[in-house]
Amino acid sequence: MQRTSPPAPAGRLARGGLRPDPGLPVPPYWAERLRAGMPGGAVPEPPGGGEALRTAAAGYWERRGLTTTAADTAAAPGAEPLLLALLAAVGGDVVLARPAAAWQAPLARTLGRRTTAVPTPAVGGGAPDPFALLEAVRRARAEGADPRVLVMSAADDPSGTVTPPELLHEVCEAAEESGLLLVSDETYADTVHHPHETVLLTPAEMLPGRTIVIADLSAALAPPGWPVAVARFPATAEGGELRAAVVERCAWLRALLPGPPAAAAAYALAEGDDVRAHLAAATRLHAALGAAAYRAVARTGGLCRPPEAGCHLYADLAPLRHALAAAGVTDAPSLETALEERLGRPVPGGHRFGDDPSALRVRIDTGPLHGADDARRRAALDARDPLELPHVAAALSDLEAALAALATGA
């Protein structure tokens, strides 16, 4: 258990790079609906999103087996304002997995809330160990903290792995026993690389009255430059009150969606043939590049769990510690700096995710391997085998060369 982690050290990465870069071109359906909505685009959606967007979000979850109405949903420009509004509405302190998405702990700190970090099991995913969760909450309360919310993700950032169903059941039971509200970040739920081999469940099936689901569309359905996220609340009196409180705080924050991206998001959430084709192609691309990046890490002597979802993986270079020390790399911040200098792009260290700063861990985003512009990213998305594209092969070679140089102390 780890309590009240300090802020991550400032550095070049503070300019960006904490969210995985999906490396996808702007979907044609998105661009078309933005253009169509621009004449009236100055009119924002109401707080929490308009009826069309919320109805589309309800249909999105209905197709995934979660009974939902528009009245159970809310939308905002990104997952960050949604979670900030939710934490403000619930009150109390926050329990996070360790490691956890880098944007979560700063939101709790912004509200002056304590955070309690609970390690994730080696089997994968972003759910905390259930037994450690029970002990962490007990100890936190004994020390005067007031943990009320558990934020977790079964399809994980930073590791790109998925929580097994049996473990997720145990985590939900531990959260219920501890009296915690569970916030499930399901941004990467639709990007499971091999859905016929990997079972991904949602806590909303297991703890329906105590789970709020948040999904940021930037993983695949929407360009990161137009942030849109949706939330699903329990269809209970308490869930309705909490949704109203979140919407009220979104209004205070002016976390409102402009009309054109709201219309594009509603179209994406309806999942027509073109949207499903884009998502399928994106997932295939993420799977191919994730597997290739995993092999590059393994060939250079690093440790890594094979990624199962999303566009990122989490590498542990502890076996190379002696060689890395010769290159002046002794911890996660210096490893981050060394790789950023060699690759010319952010490679966030494990300290950004609440992990032990002395550990030699980094998240590697595969999106930048797709290309630096929309044309190259489109070519990677459309390719039968993206690894055969010269620019993709060169990017993978650069990644492996940077890791190999560090492995030899260069």
Side-chain angles (χ1 to χ4, degrees):
M1 181 187 72
Q2 177 177 321
R3 286 284 307 282
T4 319
S5 301
R12 299 183 203 182
L13 201 68
R15 297 194 304 265
L18 292 181
R19 273 194 176 276
D21 175 9
L24 300 174
V26 176
Y29 61 78
W30 189 272
E32 291 167 8
R33 272 141 196 89
L34 280 187
R35 285 194 297 268
M38 283 304 176
V43 179
E45 294 273 288
E51 184 73 19
L53 176 53
R54 291 187 293 108
T55 298
Y60 169 87
W61 277 304
E62 283 276 352
R63 289 188 294 277
R64 284 152 181 79
L66 296 176
T67 301
T68 311
T69 69
D72 303 324
T73 70
E80 292 86 348
L82 269 179
L83 183 58
L84 183 67
L86 178 59
L87 296 180
V90 173
D93 298 324
V94 183
V95 181
L96 299 173
R98 186 178 76 238
W103 55 275
Q104 294 172 357
L107 297 182
R109 291 196 294 267
T110 296
L111 295 169
R113 308 290 170 74
R114 299 184 189 184
T115 59
T116 296
V118 183
T120 57
V123 292
D129 178 275
F131 300 104
L133 175 62
L134 290 169
E135 173 59 19
V137 172
R138 184 200 64 77
R139 187 176 301 177
R141 287 173 175 156
E143 295 174 357
D146 182 24
R148 299 186 195 176
V149 181
L150 167 63
V151 182
M152 54 149 283
S153 177
D156 184 39
D157 171 18
S159 75
T161 59
V162 170
T163 302
E166 60 275 13
L167 176 61
L168 192 60
H169 275 283
E170 293 175 359
V171 172
C172 289
E173 290 173 354
E176 185 173 32
E177 183 177 338
S178 300
L180 298 175
L181 182 72
L182 200 157
V183 178
S184 178
D185 177 9
E186 300 185 5
T187 294
Y188 298 100
D190 289 334
T191 64
V192 174
H193 296 171
H194 305 289
H196 298 297
E197 303 170 14
T198 304
V199 178
L200 173 62
L201 300 181
T202 171
E205 294 177 320
M206 307 169 194
L207 202 61
R210 297 286 295 170
T211 300
I212 293 92
V213 178
I214 293 177
D216 197 304
L217 274 59
S218 64
L221 297 181
W226 292 93
V228 180
V230 289
R232 177 189 181 274
F233 295 83
T236 62
E238 293 82 0
E241 291 172 2
L242 183 55
R243 179 197 172 277
V246 168
V247 169
E248 182 179 43
R249 283 155 180 79
C250 284
W252 295 347
L253 293 167
R254 298 189 67 188
L256 310 177
L257 281 165
Y267 183 86
L269 287 166
E271 298 180 292
D273 291 345
D274 52 346
V275 176
R276 290 198 302 273
H278 174 83
L279 179 59
T283 302
R284 287 194 300 270
L285 179 59
H286 292 329
L289 271 294
Y294 166 75
R295 292 193 293 270
V297 172
R299 281 194 293 265
T300 53
L303 301 175
C304 186
R305 286 176 292 183
E308 299 171 288
C311 52
H312 46 278
L313 60 158
Y314 200 50
D316 185 348
L317 303 189
L320 311 177
R321 183 173 291 277
H322 293 302
L324 292 172
V329 175
T330 58
D331 55 15
S334 56
L335 178 58
E336 173 187 291
T337 299
L339 283 173
E340 180 177 343
E341 289 175 348
R342 285 164 171 77
L343 294 172
R345 60 180 175 84
V347 186
H351 59 297
R352 305 282 180 178
F353 310 102
D355 214 340
D356 182 355
S358 67
L360 293 167
R361 300 183 186 121
V362 291
R363 188 190 70 199
I364 298 173
D365 297 354
T366 59
L369 305 174
H370 304 166
D373 53 54
D374 249 25
R376 291 186 177 188
R377 292 179 169 198
R378 172 61 60 187
L381 186 69
D382 294 342
R384 182 182 298 274
D385 183 358
L387 304 187
E388 293 183 351
L389 294 175
H391 72 272
V392 173
L396 280 166
S397 178
D398 289 344
L399 171 63
E400 186 162 352
L403 293 170
L406 289 176
T408 58

